[in-house]
Amino acid sequence: MEAKFEIGEKVKCKKFGALNHDFVGSIEKFYENSAMVSIIEHDDSDELAVSDFHKRAIVRLKSMKKIS
């Protein structure tokens, strides 16, 4: 697997599940085709979902982009 992302990198993630908007996070841990992302920035209307997720989400690698 190519190391496209690195731990600690800031990424923009696509919305999914209970989240209605895209969000920005920092990669904490990798899995086979996904990563655990600590949610840093999110839309105010997604606050309840983010708090239910304990400010973390598992996101597919294909659903995230690096932020320069």
Side-chain angles (χ1 to χ4, degrees):
M1 179 175 112
E2 287 184 34
K4 185 177 177 185
F5 299 104
E6 295 179 15
I7 291 182
E9 216 165 23
K10 200 171 178 184
V11 291
K12 181 168 183 165
C13 305
K14 290 185 180 179
K15 64 181 179 175
F16 70 93
L19 296 170
N20 295 317
H21 300 86
D22 294 349
F23 59 94
V24 174
S26 174
I27 297 175
E28 290 188 355
K29 182 178 182 178
F30 287 104
Y31 299 102
E32 193 168 325
N33 295 309
S34 58
M36 180 188 300
V37 176
S38 174
I39 300 172
I40 300 170
E41 300 171 23
H42 59 85
D43 191 89
D44 290 338
S45 65
D46 289 331
E47 181 63 39
L48 183 61
V50 170
S51 92
D52 285 348
F53 292 160
H54 300 284
K55 299 199 177 210
R56 289 193 172 103
I58 304 297
V59 182
R60 294 184 329 209
L61 295 176
K62 292 180 179 181
S63 296
M64 59 176 76
K65 286 185 179 180
K66 283 185 190 181
I67 297 178
S68 302

